[in-house]
Amino acid sequence: MARFVLLGLVGVGKGTQAKRLSARLGLAHLATGDLLRRHQEEGTELGLLAKGYMERGELLPDDVVIRMVLGELEKEACRPGCIFDGFPRTVEQALALDRAVGPEGVRKVLYLQVPEEVLLRRLSGRLVCRRCQTPYHRESAPPRVEGKCDVCRGELYQRADDRPEVVGRRLQVQQEELVPLLNYYARQGKLLRVNGDLGMEAVEEAILAALGLLAPRG
Ligand code: AMP
């Protein structure tokens, strides 16, 4: 079963690349942030619990997120395999995932690297579709019609946790969590580093090349 993890700090382009890869490889896109936002929109118990953590830019408790992800993995859509986006965020979550799918269950882990100042610039202009979660950027990837999603015509908005005062906190939390996670997957020999500071297509090609699914451009 083809399961891949995309790792990287907030704003690195995980969501964009995960969507492209899932379409290209025919795998489900399992994005924990998107799932949690959907729970919030639907007003579920989990959504209510998640709201405070997400607004503060903090991680939800591991057991809550692990339960949600394991539930998703049972679904038909995940049968062919999946791209994990935003999960695991802690070593505890990585251990739980390995327990659930076995040590070979995760094939490779792609770490998208982008300098921090580029991330801050990207996030301050980020807009997301309320309905289908497609990401845009005010300057570098604007929608064809202002405020409307090109894909589903849904309304575009700035996520509450993309506001400048929250972005700094999210980056700090994520950096602290990321290093042990990178070490965990490096020890398993699964970690692949990819330059995320390129155009969308070039990053996708770099990912496919790292996975051995495309010859690198010479
Ligand atoms: P994201 O859309 O991946 O940036 O996630 C948005 C927010 O959802 C994060 O800042 C966390 O509050 C929460 N979240 C998403 N994924 C996880 C996870 N794997 N563990 C804990 N919290 C998460």
Side-chain angles (χ1 to χ4, degrees):
M1 170 117 42
R3 294 194 198 88
F4 301 100
V5 171
L6 275 186
L7 289 182
L9 295 172
V10 54
V12 83
K14 287 194 302 291
T16 304
Q17 292 300 330
K19 267 185 202 297
R20 296 173 77 100
L21 276 180
S22 80
R24 182 140 183 175
L25 303 178
L27 305 173
H29 174 203
L30 212 161
T32 42
D34 289 355
L35 289 170
L36 291 168
R37 277 183 288 279
R38 201 165 311 139
H39 274 280
Q40 276 192 50
E41 301 246 314
E42 290 168 3
T44 68
E45 206 176 310
L46 175 56
L48 290 175
L49 172 78
K51 192 167 188 284
Y53 288 98
M54 291 176 81
E55 280 177 359
R56 291 191 299 275
E58 290 169 9
L59 293 182
L60 269 76
D62 284 330
D63 59 329
V64 174
V65 179
I66 289 166
R67 207 172 321 125
M68 175 179 80
V69 170
L70 297 189
E72 289 298 314
L73 283 181
E74 300 279 302
K75 293 187 180 166
E76 187 60 37
C78 286
R79 279 286 144 75
C82 64
I83 314 270
F84 290 102
D85 163 12
F87 182 91
R89 283 283 229 290
T90 64
V91 172
E92 197 52 52
Q93 294 178 12
L95 285 165
L97 181 59
D98 278 352
R99 275 196 298 272
V101 300
E104 298 310 314
V106 172
R107 208 177 277 177
K108 288 287 175 199
V109 177
L110 295 140
Y111 173 41
L112 294 186
Q113 286 176 296
V114 173
E116 192 171 323
E117 65 272 15
V118 178
L119 291 183
L120 287 169
R121 200 169 342 118
R122 282 191 187 177
L123 284 170
S124 62
R126 176 159 79 169
L127 298 169
V128 185
C129 173
R130 211 178 269 288
R131 201 183 297 158
C132 74
Q133 311 279 340
T134 297
Y136 295 86
H137 192 277
R138 284 198 180 99
E139 285 139 39
S140 59
R144 282 195 288 272
V145 177
E146 200 185 325
K148 290 257 179 288
C149 177
D150 292 350
V151 180
C152 75
R153 318 297 292 161
E155 179 205 356
L156 303 187
Y157 76 114
Q158 180 175 46
R159 282 168 41 175
D161 56 356
D162 278 349
R163 283 170 301 156
E165 63 276 22
V166 187
V167 165
R169 173 88 186 118
R170 282 169 77 202
L171 274 178
Q172 190 194 336
V173 169
Q174 293 191 6
Q175 243 148 5
E176 284 164 16
E177 299 289 357
L178 191 59
V179 176
L181 207 50
L182 294 175
N183 291 337
Y184 177 84
Y185 284 123
R187 271 197 302 275
Q188 291 189 346
K190 293 180 183 166
L191 189 69
L192 299 168
R193 293 171 188 269
V194 175
N195 180 6
D197 192 14
L198 304 166
M200 240 172 357
E201 271 94 29
V203 175
E204 185 181 356
E205 283 193 18
I207 290 175
L208 292 169
L211 291 173
L213 300 173
L214 191 79
R217 277 200 184 152

